[in-house]
Amino acid sequence: MKFGTKAIHAGIEPDPSTGAIMTPIYQTSTYVQQSPGDHKGYEYSRTHNPTRTALQSSLAELENGKHGICFSSGLGAIDAVLKLFNPGDEIISSNDLYGGTYRLFTKIYERFGIKFKFVPMGDPASIAEHITEKTKMIWVETPTNPMMNIIDIAAVAKLGKGRKILVAVDNTFASPYLQNPLDLGADLVMHSVTKYLGGHSDVVMGALVVNEDELAKKLVFIQNASGATPGPQDCFLVLRGIKTLHLRMERHSQNGKTIAAYLKNHPKVEKVYWPGFEDHPNHAIAKTQMRDFGGMISFTLVGNQQSDAVKVMENFRLFALAESLGGVESLCGHPASMTHASIPQEEREKVGLVDSLIRLSVGVEDAEDLKNDLANALSKI
């Protein structure tokens, strides 16, 4: 099936008891057994729930994987991955990544003896310099949050395969519509399902998708044993959101292109970070591994004053000032004080995350209205 067809049909079957075309919300904590151990595949809803099963199957198919595993948040999904490792293990990560991931790595798991190396990944060859016999995973974000850097997934995957190093990709910014890391050789894909997959800013969830059976078995064990599982209502909402994922991503990408071009030509904008520009570093890689360039954009202001950034964001009417991204409505954020505040300032500035940087999640509204909103807000500085 083509992607648009998969978005609507993947993992979905009519309810066998009624023929209902929509997956029911199985709002139950437990299931009646005929005899001890004699049940219909479901014992307890932390372990399995039919609504969650349908969603996990759908996500696996969207990422061209075999196993989908859902969690109560994106960080819950990343936490499960980290539980695969032991004290003394080393993990290499991009030096430009979501602040919550950085916080989980450094504030939680470093205390348990896992070592993290944060390195530039624009040139995958440079990653090899940091690999040792203790390296167990390479953690990739592409496009990165918030600098929109592009990392060559296939090249990183080759580094891992020869050394039996797990290559994991946070695919949240791209969504399965724009990019499929498993097809490029990655071992594991992570999504903050909260974002584009849910698409309507009404659910918090995370997911992992893998192909390898033994890896899936370990992660499913962690999912059940640690208990960070989503409820059936949330699973239903995501199943509903996925049905329009291809339509939404097309519009996000169209609007993203329009807004990025507008900002690039604005006299009060210093720099625009969007992988669709031909002069963007690794644009050629983005063209190869992505179907389009999406609706995530970051930009800085002339003079680099945080007060100017604040004034712009306070004067938006359509771009709502809020954390998160990927919903149908446009959002703006200030990474330095919001999503990436947990990263020390000196580390943020090394990758270009300066105080005037504004991150946009361009929604599916009319692009002319969004441009007018930007024009009005930028006129206030």
Side-chain angles (χ1 to χ4, degrees), residues 272-290:
V272 182
Y273 300 90
W274 182 67
F277 291 136
E278 290 188 3
D279 60 355
H280 184 286
N282 277 354
H283 170 72
I285 298 298
K287 284 182 66 176
T288 300
Q289 69 186 23
M290 299 177 72

Side-chain angles (χ1 to χ4, degrees), residues 312-350:
V312 168
M313 290 182 286
E314 287 178 345
N315 280 281
F316 279 132
R317 295 171 183 167
L318 294 178
F319 284 92
L321 178 57
E323 301 204 7
S324 199
L325 59 104
V328 292
E329 63 287 304
S330 292
L331 300 178
C332 72
H334 185 244
S337 64
M338 295 170 69
T339 54
H340 291 66
S342 59
I343 300 177
Q345 183 176 2
E346 61 272 19
E347 296 299 320
R348 295 197 305 264
E349 292 183 348
K350 283 180 185 178

Side-chain angles (χ1 to χ4, degrees), residues 18 20-21 118 157 181 190 234 248 275 282 292 296 306 338 351 365:
T18 66
I21 195 167
F118 299 96
M190 194 287 296
D234 287 350
R248 291 184 284 106
N282 277 354
D292 209 332
M296 295 303 301
Q306 180 169 327
M338 295 170 69
V351 300
E365 302 94 337

Side-chain angles (χ1 to χ4, degrees), residues 29-50:
S29 61
T30 193
Y31 307 82
V32 174
Q33 304 185 27
Q34 298 301 312
S35 182
D38 179 11
H39 52 77
K40 299 177 181 180
Y42 296 91
E43 304 166 80
Y44 188 62
S45 275
R46 185 191 67 248
T47 308
H48 297 294
N49 178 282

Side-chain angles (χ1 to χ4, degrees), residues 141-145 148-151 170 173-174 179 275 290 293:
E141 271 187 24
T142 182
T144 60
N145 181 2
M148 306 305 298
N149 289 312
I150 299 296
I151 298 168
D170 182 339
F173 267 29
Q179 183 172 272
M290 299 177 72
F293 304 109

Side-chain angles (χ1 to χ4, degrees), residues 103-120:
R103 181 179 59 227
L104 182 65
F105 286 177
T106 59
K107 302 298 184 182
I108 303 296
Y109 279 91
E110 275 190 350
R111 294 191 292 115
F112 300 130
I114 296 176
K115 183 177 179 181
F116 296 89
K117 297 178 180 179
F118 299 96
V119 304

Side-chain angles (χ1 to χ4, degrees), residues 69-340:
I69 310 157
C70 286
F71 297 83
S72 54
S73 69
L75 283 170
I78 300 171
D79 180 72
V81 175
L82 294 176
K83 287 172 179 169
L84 295 169
F85 305 108
N86 299 306
D89 290 344
E90 294 182 357
I91 293 171
I92 298 174
S93 174
S94 167
N95 65 341
D96 171 30
L97 78 167
Y98 169 51
T101 305
Y102 179 90
R103 181 179 59 227
L104 182 65
F105 286 177
T106 59
K107 302 298 184 182
I108 303 296
Y109 279 91
E110 275 190 350
R111 294 191 292 115
F112 300 130
I114 296 176
K115 183 177 179 181
F116 296 89
K117 297 178 180 179
F118 299 96
V119 304
M121 291 188 176
D123 178 9
S126 65
I127 300 172
E129 303 171 9
H130 301 277
I131 294 176
T132 72
E133 68 279 1
K134 294 182 178 180
T135 304
K136 302 300 180 184
M137 181 172 72
I138 302 175
W139 183 267
V140 175
E141 271 187 24
T142 182
T144 60
N145 181 2
M147 303 308 300
M148 306 305 298
N149 289 312
I150 299 296
I151 298 168
D152 188 335
I153 296 171
V156 176
K158 288 179 182 177
L159 289 176
K161 287 293 188 294
R163 299 172 172 88
K164 295 183 179 180
I165 296 171
L166 187 74
V167 174
V169 178
D170 182 339
N171 202 30
T172 299
F173 267 29
S175 87
Y177 177 80
L178 296 182
Q179 183 172 272
N180 298 117
L182 296 180
D183 291 349
L184 299 170
D187 301 295
L188 180 150
V189 178
M190 194 287 296
H191 283 281
S192 174
V193 177
T194 310
K195 313 305 193 296
Y196 286 111
L197 284 162
H200 293 79
S201 303
D202 55 8
V203 65
V204 173
M205 192 186 298
L208 305 172
V209 180
V210 302
N211 273 321
E212 206 270 312
D213 294 341
E214 190 59 31
L215 176 59
K217 184 178 179 180
K218 291 177 181 178
L219 290 168
V220 168
F221 174 83
I222 293 168
Q223 177 198 42
N224 181 52
S226 296
T229 52
Q233 173 74 21
D234 287 350
C235 293
F236 172 85
L237 289 171
V238 176
L239 282 167
R240 185 176 65 174
I242 285 173
K243 290 182 184 296
T244 58
L245 177 63
H246 56 304
L247 303 175
R248 291 184 284 106
M249 293 308 298
E250 288 173 5
R251 184 59 173 261
H252 284 301
S253 296
Q254 291 168 6
N255 282 357
K257 181 178 181 179
T258 299
I259 296 306
Y262 174 80
L263 288 170
K264 192 170 188 178
N265 293 311
H266 198 286
K268 294 182 180 179
V269 173
E270 179 72 27
K271 190 167 184 179
V272 182
Y273 300 90
W274 182 67
F277 291 136
E278 290 188 3
D279 60 355
H280 184 286
N282 277 354
H283 170 72
I285 298 298
K287 284 182 66 176
T288 300
Q289 69 186 23
M290 299 177 72
R291 297 181 183 92
D292 209 332
F293 304 109
M296 295 303 301
I297 302 168
S298 293
F299 67 98
T300 58
L301 300 171
V302 172
N304 187 33
Q305 295 298 311
Q306 180 169 327
S307 58
D308 286 342
V310 170
K311 190 173 292 185
V312 168
M313 290 182 286
E314 287 178 345
N315 280 281
F316 279 132
R317 295 171 183 167
L318 294 178
F319 284 92
L321 178 57
E323 301 204 7
S324 199
L325 59 104
V328 292
E329 63 287 304
S330 292
L331 300 178
C332 72
H334 185 244
S337 64
M338 295 170 69
T339 54
H340 291 66

